[in-house]
Amino acid sequence: MTTSPPRSHQATGGLPPLLPGPRRLLKHPRLMHYNRLAALVLLANVVFARACWPLATPTLGHAALANLALAVVVRQQYVINLLFRLATSAPTSWPLRVRWTLGKVYHFGGLHVGGALAGTAWFLALTITTPSGPPMAVGWALIALLALVIATALPPFRSRHHDHFEKIHRFGGWAALALFWTHTLLSSPGPWEVGVLTVVTFSVALPWLRLRKVDVRLERPSSHVVLARFDHGETPFAGSSTAISRSPLKEWHSFANVPSPGEPGFRLTVSRAGDWTGSFIDDLPGQVWVKGITTAGVANIEVLFTKVVYVATGSGIGPCLPHLLAAQVPSRLVWATRDPRATYGDALVDEILAVQPHALIWDTSRHGKPDMVRLAHDAYRDFGAEAVICISNKKLTWQVVHGLERRGIPAYGAIWDS
């Protein structure tokens, strides 16, 4: 481990120049693929509306249902895993520009947003044209509920009041689905409407049908971190995540699964980053709730490239670790964290060094915070990598990803809606 960054491990040389104006503009955060996908869904709805003008009442209902179904189903774990599987099936012989775009598959949340906004707009138009009666009353109740769910899902509210957002999104979504069923049944539905609503309802219910309470063995190497070990008959694939909870109806938290090659079960790395994780580390519960299906994460896009650099800070090592252990793709690790051995334990650090002997592990308690963009670029250049994958907090992830992308280097990192 690099305890004192020697000259060979320090950031060297300058960064490449920024891309020319038009190409650099496409790398602006506001034009990220998440927003592009949302805009694409909205544009498709505008084109559909123009093609079907004047719009009949059944068309309004069908468009509303189709868009809201998209918003729900695209967040279903099996669908997410399918999207990742399709995107990462491209061979590394394909042009880098194509693989660069396919790697942005984790921005699929843009489809969710576009579908939710378009579906709400279509349903508003349907409700306005609905004659007075029970369907209209239910319609306005559903519009009010959808508006609440959308407003509280916007980044300003979501980032400041995440627990409230999660509860409103969960219970509001369930209530909206119930109201949609009510409205549909009051409106003499056909087989198509009932079939789509059935699929949507099953999609929402499926993760909860797999809800169970399981044993967990916890190891606390420091007051900042707990290593949670699970062995309840499931060994998830590397790069997936599992949602756990101590109160299933209140809040859920997802962590990257770390399976060990050839061993059953898996581990999660839980770092102190708020009230919930803090109490988890302090209380050391013997059991937790798990639900749903293990879901692919951003680092799964590594197979699109011949070589990758993993950039992590603090507990961001968790999502990187299963890929480092599996060694499916040649990789180089850059990890900046506070006193790694004291914080995460000798066993974990030694495990990392066993598979990444040339890793740069930067002790921020001794050497301060490094320039992660420059370190990432130097590792990318020296290792001959094709892409950089960053797992960190929101601010630093944005700095690394956009700092590199604006210079023509494929870079990836979880977004606020990953």
Side-chain angles (χ1 to χ4, degrees), residues 43 61 76 92 130 142 147 190 192 204 214 216 222 233 255 280 291 295 300 303 309 354 392 417:
L43 178 60
Q76 212 279 333
T92 55
T130 300
L142 180 52
W192 185 84
V204 172
V214 300
V216 56
S222 71
F255 300 92
F280 189 91
K291 74 171 174 70
T295 313
N300 286 90
V303 295
V309 168
S392 183
D417 196 26

Side-chain angles (χ1 to χ4, degrees), residues 56-111:
T57 299
T59 302
L60 297 174
H62 291 164
L65 180 56
N67 278 279
L68 291 173
L70 170 65
V72 173
V73 173
V74 79
R75 303 291 296 194
Q76 212 279 333
Q77 290 97 328
Y78 282 127
V79 174
I80 294 171
N81 289 342
L82 175 62
L83 292 175
F84 269 87
R85 182 179 294 275
L86 292 174
T88 58
S89 62
T92 55
S93 59
W94 282 20
L96 179 59
R97 185 164 297 279
V98 175
R99 292 179 283 130
W100 189 343
T101 300
L102 289 173
K104 300 296 183 179
V105 61
Y106 59 94
H107 287 263
F108 63 84
L111 299 175

Side-chain angles (χ1 to χ4, degrees), residues 5 19 111 158 196 210 214 235 243-244 307 318 321 340 350 355 359 365 377 408:
L19 293 170
L111 299 175
R158 180 172 178 168
V196 172
R210 302 188 60 172
V214 300
T235 303
I244 64 175
K307 291 182 178 181
L321 185 55
D350 289 339
V355 294
S365 64
H377 168 259

Side-chain angles (χ1 to χ4, degrees), residues 145-190:
L145 186 56
L146 290 174
L148 174 65
V149 171
I150 291 173
T152 56
L154 295 174
F157 183 92
R158 180 172 178 168
S159 60
R160 297 177 185 176
H161 311 284
H162 188 272
D163 290 345
H164 294 304
F165 149 76
E166 187 176 335
K167 293 173 185 176
I168 293 171
H169 219 66
R170 178 180 301 117
F171 295 114
W174 292 351
L177 183 57
L179 286 175
F180 213 121
W181 267 109
T182 303
H183 186 277
T184 301
L185 295 175
L186 288 173
S187 305
S188 302

